[in-house]
Amino acid sequence: DVGEALDPALEPVLQKAVFKQGGRSLIRLGDSDVDYDPNFKLFITTKVANPHYLPEVCIKVTIINFTVTMKGLEDQLLGEVVRQERPDLEEQRDRLVVSISADKKQLQELEDKILKLLKESQGNILDDEQLINTLNHSKLTSSVIAASGRRGPQPHHQRGTSGKHRAAG
């Protein structure tokens, strides 16, 4: 059980600062080198309700919040009821979630490409034809994605407004 600050001695483990020496994988803990197994996993838990870790920690670890809220529990239960009574609606929602995820991934890839082109650009960026084309393509793609989001099905809202499935209060 840890608080919001992690022991600095964990730093080599969090950074996976592994090095080879004599054909062995080692990691330095304190003042000694210890054999490192590539299958090693470290799980750290906290009893802090809503911990706020520094960004330097967040980029080195995967944080999973197992806190159960009434809203989250309600959404899960509602999803199960809909899955039983209206599997078509739940399937439509699942497709929508996958589609939104793919759209976000595509936008992130375009953003990364633009940043890379900007970084590598020499001279006047307005003369960089590839960059201009990528920006235009990005604008078009984001417009198409935004429009499909507005026009697309809204199964999450449909399932949430069904009076016979919503708890009163």
Side-chain angles (χ1 to χ4, degrees), residues 11 14-15 55-62:
E11 197 64 25
L14 296 178
Q15 289 185 347
E56 297 83 36
V57 172
C58 292
I59 61 172
K60 297 174 196 165
V61 301
T62 301

Side-chain angles (χ1 to χ4, degrees), residues 109-133:
E109 288 170 353
L110 282 169
E111 182 181 322
D112 291 346
K113 184 175 182 181
I114 290 168
L115 291 173
K116 180 180 180 279
L117 290 172
L118 282 170
K119 180 181 173 189
E120 294 172 352
S121 181
Q122 296 176 358
N124 188 345
I125 60 171
L126 297 176
D127 295 334
D128 189 334
E129 209 170 297
Q130 184 182 9
L131 177 59
I132 299 299
N133 290 338

Side-chain angles (χ1 to χ4, degrees), residues 10 23 28 31 34 36 49-50 56-57 75 79-81 88 93 97 101 111-112 117 122 128 130 132 138 161 166 168:
L10 289 174
R28 180 167 283 280
D31 58 351
V34 179
Y36 178 80
N50 192 16
E56 297 83 36
V57 172
D75 284 348
E80 287 302 315
V81 169
D88 59 314
R93 179 190 165 280
V97 167
S101 177
E111 182 181 322
D112 291 346
L117 290 172
Q122 296 176 358
D128 189 334
Q130 184 182 9
I132 299 299
S138 175
T161 58
R166 250 321 174 206

Side-chain angles (χ1 to χ4, degrees), residues 18-39:
V18 179
F19 60 95
K20 296 271 187 184
Q21 188 177 52
R24 295 173 32 203
S25 294
L26 301 170
I27 191 165
R28 180 167 283 280
L29 295 177
D31 58 351
S32 58
D33 296 336
V34 179
D35 284 313
Y36 178 80
D37 183 339
N39 296 318

Side-chain angles (χ1 to χ4, degrees), residues 2-164:
V2 297
E4 289 188 352
L6 298 180
D7 188 335
L10 289 174
E11 197 64 25
V13 177
L14 296 178
Q15 289 185 347
K16 294 185 179 178
V18 179
F19 60 95
K20 296 271 187 184
Q21 188 177 52
R24 295 173 32 203
S25 294
L26 301 170
I27 191 165
R28 180 167 283 280
L29 295 177
D31 58 351
S32 58
D33 296 336
V34 179
D35 284 313
Y36 178 80
D37 183 339
N39 296 318
F40 173 77
K41 295 192 184 315
L42 175 66
F43 295 90
I44 302 173
T45 61
T46 183
K47 292 181 182 172
V48 178
N50 192 16
H52 296 282
Y53 293 102
L54 294 173
E56 297 83 36
V57 172
C58 292
I59 61 172
K60 297 174 196 165
V61 301
T62 301
I63 297 176
I64 302 173
N65 185 348
F66 288 103
T67 305
V68 177
T69 63
M70 284 304 290
K71 175 78 173 123
L73 188 56
E74 182 180 299
D75 284 348
Q76 286 180 9
L77 292 173
L78 185 57
E80 287 302 315
V81 169
V82 171
R83 194 170 282 115
Q84 293 296 317
E85 293 189 12
R86 292 281 314 272
D88 59 314
L89 197 57
E90 192 62 19
E91 186 179 312
Q92 186 180 14
R93 179 190 165 280
D94 290 346
R95 282 194 309 270
L96 183 60
V97 167
V98 169
S99 174
I100 289 170
S101 177
D103 290 347
K104 284 182 180 179
K105 181 180 179 190
Q106 184 178 13
L107 289 173
Q108 183 63 50
E109 288 170 353
L110 282 169
E111 182 181 322
D112 291 346
K113 184 175 182 181
I114 290 168
L115 291 173
K116 180 180 180 279
L117 290 172
L118 282 170
K119 180 181 173 189
E120 294 172 352
S121 181
Q122 296 176 358
N124 188 345
I125 60 171
L126 297 176
D127 295 334
D128 189 334
E129 209 170 297
Q130 184 182 9
L131 177 59
I132 299 299
N133 290 338
T134 303
L135 285 168
N136 286 331
H137 176 67
S138 175
K139 181 181 176 185
L140 179 65
T141 303
S142 63
S143 297
V144 168
I145 289 172
S148 70
R150 287 191 296 266
R151 282 194 316 266
Q154 303 291 328
H156 182 69
H157 299 296
Q158 289 173 3
R159 81 176 190 186
T161 58
S162 174
K164 68 180 186 180

